[in-house]
């Protein structure tokens, strides 16, 4: 969760949700429901990180690591009461994700209790996916066994790179050989595994990136995420770049590294299902898909964001302020906004086009709707025909009524999004 919160309107009273939280999706029905739990503690704050994280574990009453779960319990109770007051029908939780920060800075028993709080508050759907992020140095075999025993189903390890020099630039403190060890322990405990990689670190060569990809494949996780490094203004790395101490790679360098990732991961049996994510069959991250598919979710913890119906909400950022709000019986929401039709269409196209399945062409408003009939080819609107001709959208998918990105299209997803918007 980014420390820079958007502007918005505070909730009234002690946390009355606006009526738009009950808005139904255009296709009707009820959105599935997920929960995100933000754990803000880290051992080291990485130079590129602009998330809402703190290396001080003793921030004060209700905000310290030892008090965190108690305060979280208070927020979840307030959230459930606010949702019931708003008339939202009860829904079991389909996916739970613990992120941060580093959730595994807390004892495994705390993470187990957090999951139990979600179960007691809303109930877990049969087969619910339950994931925690973890840094390789913060867990051992017993810790992972305890997570599995508590009901966790996945763990996502922050691998980032297999090259010590690159890890040092990123301020990562684990040793590369630790990653296959923790993945093996997790697998032995019965947990599905994912590793996160970052490409485009200052000074990272193409050979370095190949080495990291090959190490990830050799480790054998069920899922791989590969993200281009984004250096946000205000971070320590941003200051180093401005002073000329570090040099960021070119767009062409990052594109080449992405293409290499897709090539090597595909050859190893991983299928891309979202621009930055690849998985073995049946091992997609359902929680991340919840964001891309416009599900509802409640985000608990300092700085966490939520989405209910047509409403976006975000919590107060600092753990002390968050804990103070909860202690006073006030839902710790700093602000909210009601998403208008234009913004919702932008989000629908921007997020949906990132998925392998893409978007239904008949849902696009640009240039009129294509005509479809059983056994009849799709008549492509001009903008879609142009994107197919430019090699950005898949022609076979378009003929079947969907806008789906090619490899080249994935590299230019923002441009495709803008072209598809009215």
């Amino acid at each position: 969760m980014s420390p820079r919160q958007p502007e918005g309107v505070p909730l009234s009273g002690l946390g009355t949700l606006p009526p738009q939280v009950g808005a139904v999706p255009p296709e009707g029905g009820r959105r599935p429901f997920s929960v995100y739990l933000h754990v803000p503690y880290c051992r080291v704050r990485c130079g590129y990180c602009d998330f809402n994280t703190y290396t001080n574990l003793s921030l004060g009453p209700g905000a310290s690591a030892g008090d965190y779960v108690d305060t979280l319990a208070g927020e979840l109770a307030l959230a459930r009461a606010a949702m019931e007051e708003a008339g939202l029908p009860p829904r079991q939780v389909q996916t739970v994700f613990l992120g941060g920060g580093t959730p595994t800075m807390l004892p495994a028993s705390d993470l187990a209790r957090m999951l139990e709080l979600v179960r007691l508050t809303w109930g877990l759907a049969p087969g619910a996916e339950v994931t925690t992020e973890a840094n390789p140095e913060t867990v051992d075999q017993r810790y992972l066994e305890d997570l599995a025993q508590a009901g966790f189903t996945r763990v996502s390890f922050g691998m980032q790179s297999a090259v010590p020099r690159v890890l040092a630039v990123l301020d990562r403190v684990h040793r590369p050989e630790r990653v296959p060890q923790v993945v093996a322990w997790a697998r032995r405990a019965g947990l599905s595994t994912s590793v996160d990689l970052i490409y485009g670190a200052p000074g990272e060569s193409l050979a370095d990136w190949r080495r990291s990809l090959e190490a990830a494949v050799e480790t054998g996780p069920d899922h791989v995420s590969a993200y281009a490094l984004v250096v946000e203004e205000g971070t320590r790395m941003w200051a180093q770049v401005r002073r000329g101490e570090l040099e960021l790679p070119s767009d062409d360098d990052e594109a080449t590294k992405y293409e290499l990732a897709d090539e090597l991961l595909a050859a190893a049996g991983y299928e891309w299902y979202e621009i930055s994510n690849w998985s073995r069959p049946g091992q997609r991250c359902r929680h991340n898909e919840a964001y891309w598919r416009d599900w509802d979710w409640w985000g608990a913890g300092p700085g966490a964001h939520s989405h209910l119906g047509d409403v976006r909400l975000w919590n107060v950022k600092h753990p002390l302020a968050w804990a103070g709000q909860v202690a006073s019986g006030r839902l710790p929401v700093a602000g909210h906004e009601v998403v208008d039709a234009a913004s919702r269409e932008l989000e629908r196209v921007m997020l949906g086009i990132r998925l392998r399945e893409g978007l239904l062409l008949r849902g696009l408003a640009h240039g009129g709707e294509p005509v479809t009939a059983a056994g009849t080819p799709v008549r492509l609107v001009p903008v879609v025909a142009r994107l197919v001709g430019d090699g950005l959208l898949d022609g076979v998918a378009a003929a079947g009524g969907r806008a789906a990105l090619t490899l080249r299209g994935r590299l230019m997803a923002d441009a495709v999004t803008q072209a598809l918007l009215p």
Side-chain angles (χ1 to χ4, degrees):
M1 297 292 120
S2 171
R4 290 189 291 278
Q5 301 284 37
E7 295 182 3
V9 180
L11 297 179
S12 61
L14 295 177
T16 300
L17 298 174
Q20 293 88 344
V21 296
V24 298
E27 63 274 14
R30 295 168 57 192
R31 291 183 175 91
F33 182 55
S34 293
V35 171
Y36 170 81
L37 305 177
H38 184 70
V39 181
Y41 313 108
C42 274
R43 182 172 296 175
V44 175
R45 185 173 179 84
C46 300
Y48 62 89
C49 178
D50 77 330
F51 289 178
N52 191 31
T53 63
Y54 304 84
T55 56
N56 182 1
L57 303 187
S58 301
L59 292 167
S64 297
D67 302 329
Y68 175 78
V69 182
D70 289 333
T71 306
L72 184 75
E75 181 184 348
L76 295 182
L78 292 168
R80 175 176 174 174
M83 292 167 67
E84 289 176 347
E85 182 183 4
L88 293 180
R91 287 170 291 179
Q92 290 186 319
V93 178
Q94 302 292 325
T95 69
V96 182
F97 196 99
L98 277 63
T102 308
T104 48
M105 288 289 292
L106 300 179
S109 58
D110 279 4
L111 273 61
R113 186 180 166 207
M114 290 161 66
L115 178 57
E116 182 63 16
L117 286 171
V118 173
R119 183 183 288 110
L120 292 173
T121 303
W122 288 292
L124 288 177
E129 177 191 271
V130 182
T131 304
T132 184
E133 294 179 334
N135 283 348
E137 76 279 5
T138 59
V139 298
D140 57 21
Q141 184 170 353
R142 177 61 184 272
Y143 192 109
L144 294 166
E145 290 171 349
D146 288 347
L147 290 182
Q149 183 67 30
F152 282 78
T153 63
R154 293 180 79 252
V155 60
S156 180
F157 293 108
M159 175 180 174
Q160 318 309 1
S161 175
V163 180
R165 174 175 50 80
V166 176
L167 289 173
V169 171
L170 296 173
D171 295 319
R172 308 297 291 189
V173 298
H174 68 269
R175 295 172 289 109
E177 56 268 26
R178 180 74 174 177
V179 176
Q181 186 176 39
V182 295
V183 168
W185 285 338
R187 185 182 296 113
R188 199 172 302 144
L191 295 165
S192 178
T193 56
S194 178
V195 297
D196 287 353
L197 297 172
I198 290 178
Y199 60 93
E204 180 191 55
S205 67
L206 187 61
D208 290 335
W209 177 232
R210 178 183 289 273
R211 178 177 169 187
S212 294
L213 288 166
E214 291 174 343
V217 167
E218 186 176 351
T219 297
D222 303 296
H223 183 282
V224 177
S225 298
Y227 300 105
L229 178 66
V230 176
V231 181
E232 298 287 357
E233 183 176 348
T235 61
R236 186 168 68 253
M237 184 174 284
W238 177 80
Q240 291 174 300
V241 171
R242 286 198 66 187
R243 293 193 299 264
E245 298 170 6
L246 295 174
E247 182 178 355
L248 294 177
S250 66
D251 291 345
D252 287 345
D253 178 82
E254 291 200 341
T256 299
K257 287 174 179 173
Y258 181 88
E259 290 170 337
L260 180 61
D262 192 65
E263 175 189 344
L264 295 185
L265 292 171
Y270 296 90
E271 179 180 80
W272 83 274
Y273 70 94
E274 190 275 341
I275 287 178
S276 299
N277 290 271
W278 292 257
S279 75
R280 297 195 186 280
Q283 296 293 331
R284 293 184 177 191
C285 177
R286 288 159 47 203
H287 186 84
N288 284 343
E289 286 189 306
Y291 298 142
W292 301 317
R293 297 187 185 281
D294 197 35
W295 288 17
D296 280 356
W297 73 87
W298 188 267
H305 287 227
S306 303
H307 168 233
L308 296 172
D310 285 341
V311 180
R312 309 285 185 190
L313 312 99
W314 48 94
N315 280 358
V316 293
K317 182 179 69 174
H318 196 280
L320 265 177
W322 167 74
Q325 293 271 63
V326 173
S328 69
R330 182 183 298 272
L331 199 63
V333 172
H336 79 281
E337 63 182 1
V338 177
V339 181
D340 60 27
S343 297
R344 179 162 289 286
E345 177 64 7
L346 168 62
E347 290 182 358
R348 187 185 73 83
V349 175
M350 180 177 64
L351 298 177
I353 199 65
R354 295 180 65 89
L355 294 168
R356 184 182 187 91
E357 295 80 10
L359 295 162
L360 285 171
L361 287 174
R362 67 170 178 266
L364 296 175
H366 196 303
E369 295 188 355
V371 178
T372 62
T376 302
V378 173
R379 187 182 74 219
L380 299 182
V381 296
V383 66
V384 174
R386 175 173 62 80
L387 292 170
V388 170
D390 290 342
L392 302 177
L393 290 181
D394 182 86
V396 174
R402 303 194 72 88
L405 295 173
T406 61
L407 174 57
R408 183 165 181 261
R410 282 183 262 163
L411 296 171
M412 301 178 65
D414 289 345
V416 174
T417 297
Q418 289 302 315
L420 292 175
L421 289 170

